[in-house]
């Protein structure tokens, strides 16, 4: 007569769904953005690469956003770790750990998107892939 699913199992499954949903939304959004942003540029025969400062501005913007993302990860990680010290409830500690994992996943996605886009753009022959280096290191 006992259920195989307890209320805590349902809550933990619900907590995992938002992170998977976020990952799915980020992936779909980046693909749509890539398609929308690159097609007009591809039709103009490498206008981005022939611009004087534009490729360096794109690289600088990506490096700044990646750096801010890693700084945000460090701040969130430290704040959650500090909050764990003063938290007595096991449920709250679980939530904080889930939040830390979500922040880590976001930072990893941020670190992987630039190099992934660079590789995909060069494979597909997109003009932006030839003149802009989006690797953050």
């Amino acid at each position: 007569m006992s259920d195989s699913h307890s209320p805590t199992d349902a809550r933990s499954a619900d907590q995992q769904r938002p992170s998977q949903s976020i990952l799915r939304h980020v992936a779909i959004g980046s693909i749509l953005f890539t398609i929308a942003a690159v097609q007009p540029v591809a039709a103009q025969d490498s206008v981005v690469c022939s611009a004087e400062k534009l490729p360096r501005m794109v690289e600088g913007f990506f490096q700044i956003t990646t750096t801010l993302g890693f700084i945000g990860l460090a701040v969130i990680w430290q704040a959650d770790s500090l909050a764990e010290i003063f938290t007595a409830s096991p449920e709250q500690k679980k939530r904080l750990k889930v939040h830390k994992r979500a922040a880590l996943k976001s930072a990893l996605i941020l670190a992987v998107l630039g190099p992934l886009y660079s590789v995909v753009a060069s494979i597909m022959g997109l003009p932006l892939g030839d003149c802009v280096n989006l690797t953050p290191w």
Side-chain angles (χ1 to χ4, degrees):
M1 293 203 116
S2 68
D3 280 336
S4 62
H5 300 291
S6 68
T8 56
D9 291 339
R11 275 188 243 134
S12 65
D14 288 341
Q15 289 174 351
Q16 290 176 354
R17 286 187 190 129
S19 65
Q20 291 173 348
S21 175
I22 290 170
L23 291 174
R24 191 175 318 122
H25 286 349
V26 167
I28 291 171
S30 62
I31 290 170
L32 291 176
F33 175 75
T34 302
I35 291 170
V38 173
Q39 280 183 346
V41 173
Q44 295 175 357
D45 193 33
S46 169
V47 172
V48 174
C49 295
S50 64
E52 186 176 326
K53 295 180 182 179
L54 189 59
R56 302 299 160 244
M57 286 176 45
V58 171
E59 289 174 6
F61 175 76
F62 187 79
Q63 289 174 352
I64 287 172
T65 55
T66 303
T67 303
L68 290 176
F70 286 130
I71 291 171
L73 168 68
V75 168
I76 288 172
W77 194 275
Q78 291 300 317
D80 285 348
S81 296
L82 182 65
E84 279 183 46
I85 294 171
F86 298 108
T87 302
S89 166
E91 184 65 32
Q92 289 176 335
K93 286 186 180 186
K94 285 181 185 178
R95 282 192 215 137
L96 288 170
K97 287 183 181 183
V98 167
H99 189 249
K100 284 169 59 172
R101 274 189 244 124
L104 183 62
K105 286 178 187 177
S106 297
L108 288 174
I109 289 170
L110 186 63
V112 169
L113 279 181
L116 181 67
Y117 177 78
S118 294
V119 169
V120 169
S122 64
I123 289 172
M124 293 175 63
L126 300 175
L128 193 60
D130 294 334
C131 63
V132 177
N133 181 15
L134 296 181
T135 54
W137 46 86

